[in-house]
Amino acid sequence: VGGDAITGGALSSVSWSPDGRFISVGNVTSNTLQVFRFDGVSTPVLVVGEATTGASPYSVSWSSDGKFISVAGLGWPGTLRVFKFDGVSTLALVGGVATGSGTYSVTWSPNSRFISVVNSGSNNLQVFKVNYGYETTPLALSNSVVFKDLRSLEADANVNVLGGARVELDGFMCV
């Protein structure tokens, strides 16, 4: 059954799509994500070519519906990137965020509303909320920052907002 597919370079991660028809592969030599179709009999076939992932794609993971693939990059700092997958056309980068250093693993929550990564360099677990729509809304990854009483802060608080992100404010804010 099956056979060997040519992938090239130093491979770091492999993950099956939820329906078992596709296999995603991270390649740290070329910093790419590859997706192969597998029919259970033939050699896996490269479906959509390669997508550039940024720094060393050390871990890949599918959303529970198979429409998105997340890639954790090992760089210093690490990266989390999310690609839309439709099984036919090229992979489309739809979102990304910097993570802690040494990002080794990524996984989706069962409902595909959250993505978590672990970082060996900074020894932490990060959880990102995924806000996306299937047709027109771009994907955004976000963490929440909540301050109960800003008067009690000893120092200034800096919050950076990425383009395309939705920002909700509740309470008083000075600019």
Side-chain angles (χ1 to χ4, degrees):
V1 173
D4 294 344
I6 304 300
T7 59
L11 305 180
S12 56
S13 182
V14 61
S15 180
W16 287 93
S17 65
D19 65 7
R21 298 179 340 156
F22 300 97
I23 306 166
S24 60
V25 176
N27 186 319
V28 296
T29 299
S30 61
N31 291 329
T32 57
L33 170 65
Q34 299 171 313
V35 178
F36 294 83
R37 178 180 291 118
F38 183 64
D39 63 10
V41 178
S42 308
T43 299
V45 176
L46 188 61
V47 178
V48 294
E50 298 179 338
T52 302
T53 61
S56 301
Y58 209 77
S59 179
V60 296
S61 180
W62 292 80
S63 62
S64 61
D65 59 11
K67 295 186 180 195
F68 296 93
I69 305 169
S70 58
V71 179
L74 184 59
W76 304 91
T79 59
L80 170 61
R81 295 215 164 109
V82 178
F83 295 86
K84 186 172 183 176
F85 178 73
D86 65 10
V88 180
S89 60
T90 59
L91 293 162
L93 178 65
V94 293
V97 65
T99 60
S101 58
T103 305
Y104 272 95
S105 186
V106 61
T107 189
W108 290 77
S109 65
N111 65 4
S112 293
R113 291 296 189 194
F114 299 92
I115 301 173
S116 59
V117 298
V118 290
N119 305 293
S120 68
S122 49
N123 294 323
N124 67 341
L125 164 69
Q126 291 179 290
V127 178
F128 299 93
K129 183 176 181 184
V130 179
N131 302 306
Y132 63 92
Y134 287 103
E135 300 304 323
T136 59
T137 308
L139 179 97
L141 302 173
S142 64
N143 281 331
S144 295
V145 179
V146 178
F147 300 106
K148 285 181 84 175
D149 184 355
L150 288 177
R151 293 172 291 185
S152 66
L153 291 176
E154 299 281 328
D156 292 333
N158 294 316
V159 177
N160 295 318
V161 179
L162 301 175
R166 186 180 72 169
V167 178
E168 294 179 19
L169 300 174
D170 182 15
F172 179 73
M173 183 180 112
C174 295
V175 180

